[in-house]
């Protein structure tokens, strides 16, 4: 009875009834012959990439792309966070410097020293000295003119100045020697000629 249930290739036949809904091994052979293949020809191999495998590869590719974009956004955010932390550290250092400067300005001695250095203020009764001309001392004959002693000029209308500038633009002046600086009694030209 065991031999009845085996087909000629040695495979077991399914148990149960055979009927119109079930194919028998002979029917498969007859179908192969009808398809134009010999009965002894081996069955075709299934393709390696099935529909399920293609769907699985497609799903994995979509997941990889979404993961890569999420990873890129994560790395971008981390770099922004690092930059912002650096800015916060710089600003805290600047705030600390400004607070130290504020405390220094609350000291009256520091304020007095800054007024002397920056604004050239002096205390009452002190004599200030201002060094002119790169540290060269002024002679006793030097005089500085008072701005009140300059002759007053009558104001001119704006169109007079505009017309003079048009005339000068058409006929530029010739090179003239620079004005003399008579603070110490000599002119700059004289100093250059003697050297």
């Amino acid at each position: 009875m065991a031999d009845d249930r085996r087909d000629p290739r040695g495979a077991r036949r399914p148990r149960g009834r055979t009927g119109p809904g079930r194919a028998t091994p002979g029917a498969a052979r007859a179908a192969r012959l009808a398809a134009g293949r010999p009965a002894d020809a081996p069955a075709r191999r299934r393709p390696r990439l099935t529909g399920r495998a293609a769907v699985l590869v497609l799903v994995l590719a979509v997941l990889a792309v979404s993961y890569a974009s999420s990873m890129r956004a994560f790395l971008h955010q981390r770099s922004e966070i690092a930059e912002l932390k650096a800015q916060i550290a710089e600003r805290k250092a600047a705030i600390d410097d400004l607070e130290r400067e504020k405390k220094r300005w609350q000291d009256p001695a520091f304020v007095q020293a800054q007024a002397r250095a920056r604004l050239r203020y002096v205390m009452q009764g002190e004599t200030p000295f201002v060094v002119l001309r790169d540290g060269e001392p002024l002679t006793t004959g030097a005089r500085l003119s008072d701005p009140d002693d300059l002759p007053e000029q009558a104001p001119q209308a704006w169109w007079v100045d505009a017309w003079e500038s048009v005339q000068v633009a058409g006929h530029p002046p010739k090179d003239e020697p620079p004005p003399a600086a008579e603070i110490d009694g000599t002119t700059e030209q004289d100093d250059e000629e003697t050297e």
Side-chain angles (χ1 to χ4, degrees):
M1 202 169 209
D3 293 331
D4 297 353
R5 297 192 180 248
R6 292 191 182 267
D7 67 358
R9 287 178 281 166
R12 289 193 82 169
R13 275 195 253 164
R15 289 187 176 181
R17 296 183 310 180
T18 58
R22 290 193 67 119
T24 60
R29 186 175 291 163
R32 272 185 274 165
L33 285 175
R37 282 192 315 189
D40 295 337
R44 276 189 166 177
R45 295 183 118 197
R46 285 184 161 179
R48 289 189 174 204
L49 186 63
T50 62
R52 287 183 185 172
V55 169
L56 180 64
V57 167
L58 181 66
V59 167
L60 289 176
V62 168
L63 288 174
V65 168
S66 67
Y67 179 72
S69 65
S70 299
M71 182 59 96
R72 186 184 62 161
F74 173 72
L75 294 175
H76 179 70
Q77 288 174 352
R78 285 192 55 164
S79 67
E80 283 183 0
I81 289 171
E83 289 175 8
L84 292 174
K85 284 183 179 179
Q87 286 180 359
I88 289 171
E90 288 176 7
R91 290 184 180 164
K92 282 184 178 179
I95 288 170
D96 292 341
D97 290 343
L98 291 173
E99 285 178 353
R100 277 195 301 275
E101 186 75 18
K102 181 180 173 184
K103 287 179 184 177
R104 290 174 66 190
W105 280 101
Q106 291 173 354
D107 181 18
F110 179 77
V111 173
Q112 185 179 5
Q114 292 300 313
R116 287 177 182 270
R118 293 183 183 187
L119 305 174
R120 309 226 189 276
Y121 282 3
V122 293
M123 294 299 288
Q124 195 170 18
E126 294 180 346
T127 304
F129 292 98
V130 178
V131 179
L132 301 176
R133 298 195 62 187
D134 299 328
E136 294 178 17
L138 295 177
T139 61
T140 56
R143 277 189 296 151
L144 296 177
S145 62
D146 186 11
D148 295 334
D149 294 342
L150 295 175
E152 291 187 25
Q153 295 179 351
Q156 293 182 347
W158 65 269
W159 57 82
V160 174
D161 290 334
W163 181 247
E164 287 177 2
S165 69
V166 170
Q167 288 177 337
V168 170
H171 304 286
K174 296 177 183 173
D175 291 337
E176 296 179 8
E182 296 188 20
I183 292 179
D184 59 354
T186 61
T187 62
E188 288 182 8
Q189 291 175 344
D190 294 341
D191 292 341
E192 291 174 4
E193 290 174 5
T194 57
E195 290 177 359

